[in-house]
Structures are given as C-alpha cells and as structure tokens.
Amino acid sequence: MKSPAVIGILGGTFNPLHLGHLRMAEELADAVGLEQVRFMPAAHPPHRAEPEVSSAHRVAMVELGIAGNPRFMLDTRELERPGHSYTIDSLLSLRKELGDRVSISWLLGSDAFMGLSSWHRWQELLDYCHLVVAYRPGPAEIHADLSPELRSLLGKRQTHDSARLHQKPAGHIYLQDITALDISATHIRATLEQGLSVRYLLPDNVLAYINQHKLYRDNA
Ligand code: ATP
C-alpha cells in the first residue's frame, strides 16, 4: 500500500476520546491538506498520573470514534513500547517506517504547545515533524502566554502558509484557529462520576461503550 505523503499525528490519552479531538483533527486535516490523521494513544503519559481506564478500553473508544472517517486511523505504537510514551521516540519510529520524505505534522492544542519545553528532547522534535497548533478555547492568547524559549522557537520556525508543510518533511510551526469546542476528557469523567449526562460531548457509540463497560463510575 502506498504511504501518504502528508500525514498528521494526534497523540493523547483519549480518556475518553471526545468531539473536541475529532473536530480538531478534522479541521486541521482540512487546513493543512493532510491525507491521513493517525490517532496515537499514549501508554504512560509522562506529564500526568496513569489513566485509571485500561489502554484496551481507550483504544476501543478511539476505534469506535474514528470509524467511518476514511482519513482517520489508529496507531498503537506507543502502547506496544515499554516505558513512557515520549513523542520523540514515536517520531523516530515513524521515520523508520515512513522514511525521511513524508511530511509529518504533529497536531496539538495550544494548551499542549504551551508546555512543549517540558517534553523529552523537545528541541529535536522539529527535526522530525512540523508542529500544527490548534487554538483551543479559553485564555489561549498564544503569543502573550508563551515562555521566552517557545516565543523564540516560534519566531524562528512559524509559517503562515500551510503549503510550506507540504514542501518540507519537518521543521515548521503552523498555528490554526479552529471552532472552539470547550470539551475536555477531565470534564467528561467528572460528569460521569456524578451520574450526569455527557451526551453530545462525544460520539454516541463511544458513550454506548462507556455505559456498556461501566467506565468512569466509582469503583469502575
Ligand atoms: P484531559 O482533560 O484528560 O487532560 P483532554 O480532553 O485535554 O484530556 P488529551 O487526550 O489530553 O485530551 O488531548 C490530546 C490532544 O488533543 C492535545 O493536544 C489537546 O490539546 C487536544 N485537545 C483536547 N481537547 C481538545 C478540544 N476540545 N479542542 C481542541 N483540541 C483539544
């Protein structure tokens, strides 16, 4: 099978997958012209406590949520690797698989971008991918809130022309305003724990899965 020349990766805990993730991936795919977006669930998120729901459940929910979208696929490489899920390791593994010429865009919300300098070997990330940052709702005045080191990185690497992401395999930062959907997995988990409805915040089939397996209830 021919590999696409321009792909996007959305990493996350997906605990659970929700419409904020799906809409962000869809809008960034359109804005940048991505042929494929791979949803890559993290095994051991380095920045947070271990998710209390198993990887198998999180993967099942991603599979259900992306079903029927021909551009979306699941990539489980972080779950197959022992230890922490570092983005740099996933990029090295993707490069091994896809080669050096494919354009890889790492998709992330602006909240995640603000914390980029805490990521393992963050200064090397742009050697292997572009960063495509979606503005998320909230006080996300990206430029105002950025640390000096990220502001300097943005100054050197930002492009306003998404076509540039097709011309090089890696190295640019591109910011894209997206429809603000103030949905978070944290809020969904908290709402379910209170026994309240989370309908319309995530796909119906993902909600059916949560109910069927009694996830995010006390003593789940
Ligand atoms: P949690 O509430 O558990 O922290 P989350 O809802 O932020 O989870 P993650 O799996 O941590 O979801 O997020 C994965 C990626 O998706 C991150 O880059 C994050 O910025 C982005 N993202 C999450 N929710 C949204 C949203 N509503 N709109 C746009 N991007 C989002």
Side-chain angles (χ1 to χ4, degrees):
M1 198 176 75
K2 190 175 161 284
S3 297
V6 187
I7 74 165
I9 310 290
L10 178 60
T13 37
F14 305 119
N15 187 29
L17 177 88
H18 55 69
L19 294 180
H21 297 128
L22 291 166
R23 187 64 206 164
M24 178 246 213
E26 185 77 348
E27 290 194 25
L28 293 183
D30 276 350
V32 174
L34 302 173
E35 293 166 61
Q36 180 184 88
V37 177
R38 297 187 182 193
F39 286 66
M40 195 179 282
H44 300 283
H47 295 113
R48 51 174 79 193
E50 194 81 4
E52 68 281 9
V53 161
S54 72
S55 302
H57 282 316
R58 294 185 295 117
V59 165
M61 292 188 280
V62 171
E63 270 181 320
L64 287 167
I66 66 176
N69 187 327
R71 272 196 296 206
F72 288 178
M73 56 173 275
L74 170 71
D75 187 318
T76 55
R77 77 189 59 222
E78 295 195 345
L79 302 174
E80 287 147 20
R81 241 178 15 231
H84 287 311
S85 298
Y86 290 122
T87 299
I88 189 76
D89 295 334
S90 303
L91 286 167
L92 291 169
S93 142
L94 280 165
R95 284 291 171 206
K96 227 181 228 169
E97 180 192 322
L98 301 171
D100 292 337
R101 310 223 338 230
V102 171
S103 167
I104 299 179
S105 289
W106 197 271
L107 313 180
L108 66 174
S110 48
D111 58 319
F113 179 67
M114 304 274 188
L116 190 77
S117 52
S118 67
W119 293 21
H120 186 53
R121 293 165 62 187
W122 68 278
Q123 274 127 329
E124 293 168 61
L125 297 172
L126 285 168
D127 295 340
Y128 302 101
C129 69
H130 303 295
L131 294 177
V132 174
V133 182
Y135 283 79
R136 280 184 78 176
E141 279 317 319
I142 258 198
H143 294 273
D145 291 351
L146 274 186
S147 64
E149 53 195 350
L150 285 181
R151 191 168 311 157
S152 147
L153 184 75
L154 198 56
K156 286 187 246 165
R157 303 300 196 108
Q158 186 175 8
T159 179
H160 297 279
D161 178 6
S162 62
R164 304 276 298 274
L165 278 56
H166 292 235
Q167 291 156 8
K168 275 175 50 176
H172 291 301
I173 303 177
Y174 181 74
L175 306 185
Q176 175 67 41
D177 201 356
I178 60 164
T179 305
L181 291 177
D182 193 2
I183 301 172
S184 72
T186 303
H187 174 71
I188 290 174
R189 292 193 300 272
T191 307
L192 283 166
E193 270 161 32
Q194 291 168 52
L196 301 174
S197 167
V198 294
R199 201 172 172 195
Y200 311 126
L201 296 176
L202 69 187
D204 284 345
N205 57 358
V206 175
L207 180 54
Y209 184 94
I210 289 172
N211 288 335
Q212 185 193 343
H213 295 274
K214 300 186 171 53
L215 305 182
Y216 310 111
R217 266 64 166 181
D218 275 346
N219 310 316

